[in-house]
Amino acid sequence: MSDTPSKPSLRLSQFLPYRLSVLSNTVSRNIADLYDRAFGLSIWQWRVMAVLGENSGITATEIGQVTAMDKVAVSRAVSGLLDSGHIARRASKEDARRAILTLTAKGKEVYDQIVPIALAAERDLVETLSGEEQAQLASLMEKLARAAEPDRPLW
Amino acid sequence: MSDTPSKPSLRLSQFLPYRLSVLSNTVSRNIADLYDRAFGLSIWQWRVMAVLGENSGITATEIGQVTAMDKVAVSRAVSGLLDSGHIARRASKEDARRAILTLTAKGKEVYDQIVPIALAAERDLVETLSGEEQAQLASLMEKLARAAEPDRPLW
DNA sequence: ATAATATAGTTTCATATGTAACTAATTTGC
DNA sequence: GCAAATTAGTTACATATGAAACTATATTAT
């Protein structure tokens, strides 16, 4: 008698896209809670501030490119941060469509406070990994990111 | 003169929670598109079907535990799948609060068609990794998941 | 036996998010 | 130099999501 061709089977709990999604949602929820409780910031608002902290005086569009946020998400985050006084906006002299964004003094202060918190949260996450494992992780994620989005910009 | 104590710095693009989130969203969006275009299923509906395909005759609460979905999300996915005829529901004899869920013939058919598609999508994602790298990835994600949610059930 | 509590699942409501339409400014093609 | 096409950013609308309230059943304690 012939072999039954074994049907390809799917074990959800071992399915990479599923595991990635559950892991990422858990991590994001933890971190979002942290930012929200301590400073009333959404994760999107924090990302905008993080980019401005690294690289002040850029535009909403540039922030979108760096953070992989779409322009509506950036616009909303920016609007909230303007209201709360964490960032300031002025029109570009060369191109009146563009708005140059910068952290305010208050924004810088908050930024300086959050950075160590964010880094500590990351450390909590990876501290059980050896240095070699951490390097592997970074490399594997880079490869996956490239496979998932072939025309992704390198960083 | 004394050294300036180097301020801990954050490079968003190297920040693990951020990278995880962007990667996971990209992968999920790709896959959700796949399910939606081919079968009109949301990712949540597909997860419910995937669990029922592995383990038929369980309840909504059990599905929630297995899939890390909250009960509202399960309820909504179930409701859509009942409407579309992919699953069936009957009350439990022992406990009338519980509803036993199963794939219908139509649901089984769709399940059998999606499984290879899902596995192919996963293969596309990991095919650039060596077997050893794939094993490392699984192990690293398991460790991260445990760090992110210490009381997580083992699988 | 019955009142209080807990559980399964649904519905409601408030908020978040994505897509598309829109406004204003700039650049391009002729 | 000006109409057509692009680009930056916002607004509007439709849908998705999460928290809390709710309904119905089951369990526990007295």
Side-chain angles (χ1 to χ4, degrees):
Chain A
M1 63 207 276
S2 70
D3 284 353
T4 311
S6 76
K7 217 182 277 184
S9 82
L10 180 80
R11 173 131 293 165
L12 188 61
S13 64
Q14 295 305 314
F15 185 57
L16 180 61
Y18 168 74
R19 298 191 65 177
L20 253 184
S21 165
V22 172
L23 174 59
S24 163
N25 287 341
T26 305
V27 170
S28 287
R29 199 168 26 243
N30 288 347
I31 296 217
D33 262 26
L34 218 58
Y35 300 154
D36 182 32
R37 265 204 303 272
F39 302 96
L41 296 173
S42 75
I43 221 168
W44 309 108
Q45 290 176 332
W46 164 244
R47 283 193 192 166
V48 167
M49 288 188 62
V51 171
L52 290 178
E54 288 181 77
N55 197 337
S56 195
I58 65 178
T59 67
T61 300
E62 292 168 323
I63 292 176
Q65 290 160 352
V66 175
T67 58
M69 289 165 69
D70 77 61
K71 64 182 180 171
V72 177
V74 175
S75 173
R76 289 199 261 242
V78 163
S79 146
L81 291 169
L82 288 168
D83 287 351
S84 57
H86 290 100
I87 67 176
R89 171 165 65 183
R90 63 187 155 79
S92 160
K93 288 224 157 165
E94 309 89 55
D95 183 341
R97 290 170 306 180
R98 293 189 188 157
I100 307 297
L101 302 168
T102 50
L103 291 178
T104 59
K106 174 180 178 184
K108 280 196 200 72
E109 226 174 89
V110 169
Y111 177 81
D112 288 339
Q113 284 183 271
I114 295 192
V115 166
I117 295 176
L119 292 174
E122 184 183 39
R123 198 174 321 114
D124 285 348
L125 195 59
V126 299
E127 71 187 350
T128 62
L129 306 183
S130 70
E132 197 195 344
E133 285 176 319
Q134 292 180 29
Q136 281 169 0
L137 178 63
S139 150
L140 290 171
M141 289 197 34
E142 179 64 26
K143 288 184 185 182
L144 291 178
R146 204 165 301 288
E149 193 179 13
D151 49 347
R152 194 174 75 84
L154 319 112
W155 46 42
Chain B
M1 62 208 274
S2 68
D3 283 351
T4 311
S6 77
K7 216 182 280 185
S9 83
L10 179 80
R11 173 131 292 165
L12 187 62
S13 64
Q14 296 304 313
F15 186 56
L16 180 61
Y18 168 75
R19 298 190 66 176
L20 253 185
S21 165
V22 171
L23 174 59
S24 163
N25 287 341
T26 305
V27 170
S28 287
R29 200 169 24 244
N30 287 348
I31 296 219
D33 262 27
L34 220 56
Y35 301 153
D36 182 32
R37 265 205 302 271
F39 302 96
L41 296 172
S42 76
I43 220 167
W44 308 108
Q45 291 177 330
W46 165 242
R47 281 193 193 167
V48 168
M49 289 188 63
V51 172
L52 290 178
E54 286 183 78
N55 198 335
S56 194
I58 64 178
T59 67
T61 300
E62 292 168 322
I63 291 176
Q65 290 161 350
V66 175
T67 58
M69 289 166 69
D70 77 61
K71 64 181 180 172
V72 178
V74 174
S75 174
R76 288 198 261 243
V78 162
S79 147
L81 291 168
L82 288 169
D83 287 351
S84 56
H86 290 100
I87 68 175
R89 170 166 64 184
R90 63 187 156 78
S92 160
K93 287 224 156 164
E94 309 88 56
D95 185 340
R97 290 171 305 182
R98 293 188 188 158
I100 307 296
L101 302 169
T102 49
L103 291 179
T104 59
K106 174 180 177 182
K108 281 195 200 75
E109 225 174 90
V110 168
Y111 178 79
D112 288 338
Q113 284 183 272
I114 296 192
V115 167
I117 295 175
L119 292 174
E122 185 184 40
R123 199 173 321 115
D124 285 350
L125 195 59
V126 298
E127 70 186 350
T128 61
L129 306 184
S130 70
E132 198 195 345
E133 283 175 321
Q134 292 180 28
Q136 282 170 0
L137 178 63
S139 152
L140 291 171
M141 289 198 35
E142 180 64 25
K143 289 183 186 180
L144 292 177
R146 205 165 300 285
E149 192 181 11
D151 50 347
R152 192 174 76 86
L154 319 114
W155 46 43

